Amino acid sequence: MKKNKAHILIFLISCLFFASCGIYSFTGASYGTAKTVTIEYFQNRSTYVNPTLSNTITENLKDRFMSQTPLTLVKTNGDLHFEGTITGYTITAVGIKSGETASYNRLTIQLKVSFTNSTAPENDFDKTYSRYADYDVSSSFATVESALVEEITEQLIDDIFNDSVVNW
């Protein structure tokens, strides 16, 4: 009988511990008392414009918050508010080998992001994010572009999400 009471006690203590961590998620996100999030459309201001990039970044950021937090997405006045601009979409030659030819090219995407947390203003920030992916010069950019954009966008969304609500 004492074993059952010990198991019940351990179970109750565990329940209390997990219940007290209500503002955290299993992804490590901490959003305090925030209940809503607003994510503005990311305008593309880069010299070279990928026509789908603004929508891809905006929707992927929304998807991340909807899938990994209990926050409600609202059009305006969210407790957490994101706005941003795509400031760079460039291809550069890297990995110069003998004969001064490149062995691969690099696609770099750069974003300027403004984050406002009305429930914890000390966490507000304005940051520039930049990520890249390389591809072989023998590949046509048109054939690898969508895969590169997907890879880079995932990294950028990870960075923005971590900086805004993970705070590790």
Side-chain angles (χ1 to χ4, degrees), residues 57-126:
I57 289 173
T58 304
E59 293 306 314
N60 286 359
L61 188 57
K62 287 178 182 179
D63 289 347
R64 176 65 58 91
F65 274 87
M66 296 304 88
S67 68
Q68 294 189 9
T69 73
L71 299 173
T72 302
L73 183 66
V74 294
K75 289 186 187 247
T76 60
N77 300 323
D79 297 326
L80 306 182
H81 182 263
F82 292 89
E83 54 185 288
T85 305
I86 301 164
T87 58
Y89 190 88
T90 57
I91 301 167
T92 54
V94 290
I96 305 300
K97 57 184 179 180
S98 65
E100 296 185 19
T101 60
S103 56
Y104 53 95
N105 290 325
R106 173 171 292 166
L107 172 63
T108 303
I109 299 174
Q110 187 172 25
L111 307 175
K112 175 132 178 53
V113 177
S114 178
F115 170 69
T116 306
N117 183 336
S118 65
T119 64
E122 66 275 9
N123 294 330
D124 294 359
F125 64 76
D126 288 307

Side-chain angles (χ1 to χ4, degrees), residues 22-24 29-35 71 117 119-120:
I23 61 171
Y24 296 99
S30 170
Y31 23 82
T33 59
K35 303 279 187 246
L71 299 173
N117 183 336
T119 64

Side-chain angles (χ1 to χ4, degrees), residues 12 46 61 84 89-90 128 136 140 149 157:
L12 290 174
S46 63
L61 188 57
Y89 190 88
T90 57
T128 299
D136 194 275
S140 159
V149 167
I157 298 303

